[in-house]
Amino acid sequence: MRNTHDSQSGSPESPIESAAGARGDGVDNIKDANSPSAGTTTTRIVLASRPHGEPTQDNFRTETANLQDPGEDEALLETLFLSLDPYMRGRMSDAESYADPVEIGDVVVGATVSRVLASGSPEFAEGDLVLGYGGWQTHSLEKTAHLRKLDKQAEVSPSTSLGVLGMPGFTAWAGMNNIGHPKEGETVVVAAATGPVGSMVGQVAKLAGARAVGIAGGPKKVEYLKELGFDAAIDHKAEDFEEQLAAATPDGIDVYYENVGGKVWEAVLPRLNTYARVPVCGLVSGYNSTELPEGPDRSGQLMGTILRKSLTIRGFIQTEYADQMGDFLEEMTPRVADGSVKFREDVVDGLDSAVDAFIGMLNGKNFGKLVVKVAD
Amino acid sequence: MRNTHDSQSGSPESPIESAAGARGDGVDNIKDANSPSAGTTTTRIVLASRPHGEPTQDNFRTETANLQDPGEDEALLETLFLSLDPYMRGRMSDAESYADPVEIGDVVVGATVSRVLASGSPEFAEGDLVLGYGGWQTHSLEKTAHLRKLDKQAEVSPSTSLGVLGMPGFTAWAGMNNIGHPKEGETVVVAAATGPVGSMVGQVAKLAGARAVGIAGGPKKVEYLKELGFDAAIDHKAEDFEEQLAAATPDGIDVYYENVGGKVWEAVLPRLNTYARVPVCGLVSGYNSTELPEGPDRSGQLMGTILRKSLTIRGFIQTEYADQMGDFLEEMTPRVADGSVKFREDVVDGLDSAVDAFIGMLNGKNFGKLVVKVAD
């Protein structure tokens, strides 16, 4: 079962209310054990083996475990929403990266919106909604230092703190403000533009007075880009994708917010203007790659283009700008609340849907920010 | 005939004094015509055909032409020194670039230090030394708006305004100050490190309190790097170049000033630290390339490294920072004058040596800033 929540349509399908009782069989067994004082059982999805290329169900295993009652500065949490994001694919590999990989047998990582069941800290009370990093499981025991109590975000809807007002939205905002620097009249291009990062990139571009060009896969998503306010929307699945991109960027491209890589990047590169900026926050098209593509080797050509066009290519992880999170929320929370900044959520029901939803996301099958509704 | 001028050795081989009367046969014919009032003959090297790969003598042709007397806001100049720089190779191709190519039949471009023979502007008088852009010729007629009168630089020696205190030195300084941002204790790596850009990069790094690692070709150049103050010097021709680079950068690399590309870049990339900065001002190793190297295609891998390490890769041309030239000269002229910033010049005699010297430079045969002494 899958629901979408579109901030602008006033959809009655609220992700919070529409899926009551829809939890899958895989987690039914925890309901009886759900009393904190008796110890709590969590149902969790662990990494069973490292994916080679595209992840499969076999790379994951569902198991149960018992959680202790919270000690000092700990809280026992019930997961309401689990965020599914492309970066998780990287954490499933043991290649060198900016973060340690998930170990075999460990719970898969992920941001969560949870309800406090029991707290060992005066700062958190039973019933509080918190943003944490509980991972792919129904319950978690977390250090309260890693939790943030949801206040304003909760007024919009708690799951927004995983998307438009969470890490993805902030990744877009921080990359644009610190690296992209869109200026009035410039052209900004972003792919995966209906996703939580891309849609915020486009809206930040528009707020700066720039022309926003969005790329997405398939006519439904392309249509939605216009609703989001993009000036032009292009289907990367179209045969004449390159021609469409050229037509949509008659003055070239000043900012390309890179989150996909691959053929979109190849089409964008020749259209970049002198002094163009390329914040690089993801390369999802290559996350399942197992070997280098065939030659010729274009890496030297890429460096030559960087030189000739005085390009700025800058990789980043949003944590680099963590001290700007307050500014982001202050600017964006009211805009999301009043509907002037739009977002779309793709809500799947039940933790047992997480693996399929995650695999689909890596192939662009989600439409909007993908979250798993784990409990009501 | 070839002389070197080493700022720190107090060499008696001043490039100004040591080569008197050494002008080659190719320009002898102008001596009789060298009276500005009767019109002036210039001997000039023009582009006869576009090089395919490495330039050869056949791509150039020497001819003479008559220059008019200067009109208003023009000056007739006698070239004393002609600068030879790698960027000129790019101007000989008609591929898209940041500057228009030299047309077939046109004088090859280049910065020059010249003496004013006749002036149509009250700002310039006969006998003044000026920095201009006269190109590969013995005389030129230039708009005075494009000239800069040499004052302080001339006290060091006029040719320094083509090297350590000219475009190459400024390219190094501007790239480091605007992009590289070397910090105390960080590690800076530069190749072609005995050249006018690389040697300034190393010295700017040392002034910032960073560790400077220089790469050059052959033991003589490597030895000289230590005299320049580099903390470590590596021979890129050594069999164990990569191991030497690893040993010289035990804490990784924070700034790699890119002016060569190719195998040095391949060895540097895996050693870059998180948040490393890579100002890209040249890729001389590839300037003679005629086709893309064999695969696999590593351009996606390069983007992946930029992402994982939060790298900044930034191409630039020094003209972007032209408004900082005054600051550069103010900071560096006294340091060059007192010997605390060192430089080395490789002076070839006579315009007819220019083509061979230029071809050699693209193969790393120069040792220090390459200038042609065209006249006394």
Side-chain angles (χ1 to χ4, degrees):
Chain A
M1 186 170 161
R2 195 156 186 153
N3 302 289
T4 59
H5 174 220
D6 186 333
S7 65
Q8 71 194 117
S9 66
S11 162
E13 291 188 81
S14 156
I16 302 172
E17 293 155 4
S18 65
R23 177 182 282 167
D25 288 345
V27 294
D28 279 345
N29 60 336
I30 65 164
K31 292 203 168 172
D32 300 331
N34 202 357
S35 156
S37 61
T40 301
T41 301
T42 181
T43 298
R44 60 193 195 182
I45 298 176
V46 301
L47 191 66
S49 58
R50 300 209 179 279
H52 181 75
E54 185 167 337
T56 66
Q57 285 279 358
D58 290 345
N59 299 126
F60 305 91
R61 186 177 66 237
T62 301
E63 60 180 31
T64 56
N66 203 50
L67 297 177
Q68 303 293 312
D69 287 346
E72 197 178 342
D73 297 327
E74 289 182 338
L76 180 69
L77 308 176
E78 180 185 19
T79 309
L80 303 183
F81 291 99
L82 163 65
S83 181
L84 294 181
D85 302 282
Y87 77 87
M88 295 167 175
R89 175 64 187 85
R91 304 289 293 276
M92 293 170 191
S93 296
D94 57 3
E96 188 199 356
S97 189
Y98 47 79
D100 289 334
V102 176
E103 297 299 334
I104 302 295
D106 276 3
V107 181
V108 182
V109 293
T112 46
V113 168
S114 302
R115 185 185 294 122
V116 176
L117 297 181
S119 170
S121 158
E123 292 175 62
F124 294 88
E126 194 185 328
D128 280 350
L129 287 188
V130 294
L131 177 67
Y133 207 69
W136 296 26
Q137 58 184 340
T138 59
H139 296 75
S140 62
L141 187 67
E142 293 192 63
K143 301 273 183 204
T144 52
H146 299 159
L147 302 177
R148 194 177 81 209
K149 207 185 292 190
L150 296 180
D151 33 52
K152 284 187 195 155
Q153 290 80 1
E155 293 169 22
V156 182
S157 93
S159 57
T160 58
S161 63
L162 301 175
V164 63
L165 293 175
M167 182 274 288
F170 179 63
T171 298
W173 182 91
M176 289 294 273
N177 286 345
N178 291 282
I179 303 166
H181 301 299
K183 293 179 195 68
E184 194 167 340
E186 288 192 331
T187 298
V188 174
V189 173
V190 65
T194 62
V197 179
S199 62
M200 180 62 88
V201 167
Q203 293 180 89
V204 170
K206 292 303 295 176
L207 287 170
R211 174 176 168 79
V213 177
I215 299 170
K220 247 178 66 181
K221 290 185 181 176
V222 167
E223 195 53 41
Y224 176 63
L225 290 182
K226 294 169 191 164
E227 294 176 37
L228 274 178
F230 280 87
D231 297 285
I234 305 172
D235 188 345
H236 68 75
K237 294 177 178 171
E239 291 252 328
D240 62 343
F241 165 63
E242 287 184 40
E243 288 74 19
Q244 286 194 36
L245 181 66
T249 56
D251 300 325
I253 298 169
D254 301 293
V255 180
Y256 172 60
Y257 188 103
E258 174 63 295
N259 55 1
V260 299
K263 71 169 191 176
V264 172
W265 171 231
E266 284 168 31
V268 162
L269 188 58
R271 299 203 58 73
L272 290 176
N273 291 330
T274 299
Y275 302 131
R277 289 81 67 196
V278 181
V280 182
C281 89
L283 295 163
V284 70
S285 73
Y287 286 176
N288 285 337
S289 303
T290 54
E291 50 190 41
L292 293 171
E294 281 183 20
D297 184 359
R298 297 186 181 278
S299 60
Q301 192 183 49
L302 172 55
M303 292 297 285
T305 305
I306 292 171
L307 171 59
R308 276 198 315 282
K309 295 187 174 183
S310 295
L311 303 181
T312 300
I313 317 271
R314 171 69 152 89
F316 75 103
I317 316 295
Q318 46 88 23
T319 48
E320 179 178 351
Y321 307 111
D323 62 348
Q324 301 172 17
M325 184 53 121
D327 294 338
F328 163 71
L329 289 175
E330 195 168 322
E331 177 183 342
M332 286 298 167
T333 304
R335 292 183 193 274
V336 171
D338 71 14
S340 60
V341 163
K342 300 172 178 64
F343 67 99
R344 184 184 178 99
E345 291 179 339
D346 187 342
V347 184
V348 297
D349 276 309
L351 186 65
D352 54 348
S353 305
V355 172
D356 277 344
F358 178 71
I359 293 169
M361 178 186 65
L362 294 176
N363 290 309
K365 294 199 175 141
N366 59 310
F367 186 3
K369 171 66 188 108
L370 184 59
V371 291
V372 180
K373 182 170 164 59
V374 180
D376 289 325
Chain B
M1 187 170 159
R2 195 155 184 154
N3 303 291
T4 60
H5 176 219
D6 186 333
S7 67
Q8 72 193 119
S9 65
S11 163
E13 292 187 82
S14 157
I16 303 172
E17 293 156 3
S18 65
R23 177 182 282 167
D25 289 344
V27 293
D28 280 345
N29 61 334
I30 65 163
K31 293 205 168 170
D32 301 329
N34 202 357
S35 157
S37 62
T40 301
T41 301
T42 181
T43 297
R44 63 193 196 181
I45 297 176
V46 301
L47 191 64
S49 58
R50 301 210 179 278
H52 181 74
E54 185 167 338
T56 65
Q57 284 280 355
D58 291 344
N59 299 125
F60 304 91
R61 185 177 67 237
T62 302
E63 59 179 31
T64 56
N66 202 52
L67 297 177
Q68 303 292 313
D69 288 346
E72 198 179 343
D73 296 327
E74 289 184 337
L76 180 70
L77 308 175
E78 180 185 18
T79 310
L80 302 183
F81 292 99
L82 164 66
S83 181
L84 293 181
D85 301 282
Y87 77 86
M88 294 167 176
R89 175 63 188 84
R91 305 289 292 276
M92 293 171 192
S93 296
D94 57 4
E96 190 200 353
S97 188
Y98 47 80
D100 289 333
V102 176
E103 296 300 334
I104 302 295
D106 277 2
V107 181
V108 183
V109 293
T112 47
V113 168
S114 302
R115 185 185 292 122
V116 175
L117 298 182
S119 169
S121 158
E123 290 177 62
F124 293 89
E126 195 186 325
D128 280 352
L129 286 188
V130 294
L131 177 67
Y133 207 67
W136 296 25
Q137 58 183 341
T138 59
H139 296 75
S140 62
L141 185 68
E142 293 192 63
K143 301 271 183 205
T144 52
H146 300 159
L147 302 178
R148 193 177 82 210
K149 208 185 291 191
L150 296 179
D151 34 52
K152 284 187 197 153
Q153 291 80 0
E155 293 167 23
V156 182
S157 92
S159 57
T160 58
S161 62
L162 301 175
V164 63
L165 293 175
M167 182 275 286
F170 179 63
T171 298
W173 181 91
M176 289 293 274
N177 285 345
N178 293 283
I179 304 167
H181 301 298
K183 293 179 195 66
E184 194 167 340
E186 288 191 333
T187 298
V188 175
V189 173
V190 64
T194 62
V197 178
S199 61
M200 179 62 89
V201 167
Q203 294 180 87
V204 169
K206 291 304 294 177
L207 288 169
R211 174 177 168 79
V213 177
I215 299 170
K220 248 177 68 180
K221 289 184 181 176
V222 167
E223 193 54 40
Y224 176 64
L225 289 181
K226 294 169 191 163
E227 294 176 38
L228 273 178
F230 280 88
D231 297 286
I234 304 172
D235 188 345
H236 68 75
K237 294 177 178 171
E239 291 251 330
D240 62 343
F241 165 63
E242 287 184 38
E243 289 74 18
Q244 286 193 36
L245 181 66
T249 58
D251 299 326
I253 298 170
D254 301 293
V255 180
Y256 172 59
Y257 188 102
E258 174 64 295
N259 54 3
V260 299
K263 70 168 191 178
V264 172
W265 171 233
E266 284 169 30
V268 162
L269 188 58
R271 298 203 59 71
L272 290 175
N273 291 331
T274 299
Y275 302 130
R277 289 81 67 196
V278 182
V280 182
C281 88
L283 296 163
V284 69
S285 74
Y287 286 176
N288 286 335
S289 302
T290 54
E291 51 190 41
L292 293 171
E294 281 183 20
D297 184 359
R298 296 185 181 280
S299 58
Q301 193 183 48
L302 171 55
M303 292 297 286
T305 305
I306 292 171
L307 170 60
R308 276 199 313 283
K309 296 188 174 183
S310 294
L311 303 182
T312 300
I313 317 270
R314 171 69 151 90
F316 75 103
I317 317 294
Q318 45 89 23
T319 48
E320 180 178 352
Y321 307 110
D323 61 349
Q324 301 173 16
M325 184 52 121
D327 294 338
F328 163 69
L329 290 175
E330 196 169 322
E331 178 183 342
M332 285 299 167
T333 304
R335 291 184 193 273
V336 171
D338 71 13
S340 61
V341 164
K342 301 173 178 63
F343 68 99
R344 184 184 176 100
E345 292 178 339
D346 187 342
V347 185
V348 297
D349 277 309
L351 186 66
D352 54 348
S353 305
V355 172
D356 278 345
F358 178 70
I359 293 169
M361 178 186 66
L362 294 175
N363 289 308
K365 293 199 176 142
N366 59 308
F367 185 2
K369 171 66 188 110
L370 185 58
V371 290
V372 180
K373 182 171 165 57
V374 180
D376 288 324

